Amino acid sequence: MKKNITSDFWVGLGAILFGIFVFVQSKKLPQAKMGIGPGDYPAFVAIIIISLGLIQAVKALLANNSSAQTREAFDAQRAKKVFLLVSGTFAYVFMMKFMGFLLLSPFFLLFLFWMFGYSNRRKAIVISITVSVVIYFLFMYAFQVLLPRFSLF
């Protein structure tokens, strides 16, 4: 029986290649004499991406294609959501230098809640603000990593 290579395999392979690229690039960053250096976190994330890509590719190869669900054709509504999500993420990254992390992140998280269909608005607002503040203080004081701040000048 011939196995069909599915899109899941190609996505897994793409994740592996992307992870390898990130890992190689992270090793070009300066190494710290002591403790965690600037390239250690990206290298760690790259290893996770490679691992997950490997799992995805192997799972796709081992899957029984005859029992696999039929794939849906192109869906314009889904494509619109993906476009909005990517555009919103780029806008978030671009506006970060102007508005700062603490001011902009709750709005971005609310946008994500809306995109993924979360309906409890009050809870989404509380979660967005709480997560943004916790991440801000965690990075500022525990990791001692400066995050972008709001500045008019």
Side-chain angles (χ1 to χ4, degrees), residues 67-139:
S67 66
Q69 293 178 341
T70 58
R71 303 282 182 198
E72 292 183 20
F74 177 78
D75 184 7
Q77 189 66 22
R78 287 184 184 171
K80 179 182 168 187
K81 279 193 161 193
V82 169
F83 177 75
L84 280 173
L85 187 61
V86 170
S87 300
T89 303
F90 276 114
Y92 172 71
V93 170
F94 175 75
M95 293 171 36
M96 180 72 68
K97 60 185 166 192
F98 304 111
M99 296 183 67
F101 177 86
L102 197 53
L103 185 62
L104 188 60
S105 292
F107 293 106
F108 181 66
L109 290 174
L110 282 172
F111 169 72
L112 292 177
F113 277 123
W114 173 73
M115 285 294 299
F116 289 107
Y118 191 75
S119 60
N120 190 338
R121 289 184 184 156
R122 182 171 286 141
K123 197 172 185 182
I125 291 170
V126 170
I127 291 171
S128 297
I129 293 170
T130 304
V131 167
S132 297
V133 169
V134 167
I135 290 173
Y136 181 79
F137 283 107
L138 183 68
F139 272 80

Side-chain angles (χ1 to χ4, degrees), residues 13-69:
L13 185 63
I16 292 169
L17 294 175
F18 177 70
I20 291 170
F21 172 76
V22 170
F23 186 80
V24 169
Q25 294 301 316
S26 71
K27 292 302 173 189
K28 293 179 181 178
L29 294 170
Q31 297 295 319
K33 295 178 183 174
M34 204 171 135
I36 297 175
D40 293 334
Y41 181 73
F44 175 72
V45 171
I47 291 170
I48 291 173
I49 291 172
I50 293 168
S51 303
L52 293 175
L54 188 61
I55 291 169
Q56 181 72 23
V58 169
K59 189 176 172 184
L61 286 176
L62 296 177
N64 185 357
N65 290 332
S66 62
S67 66
Q69 293 178 341

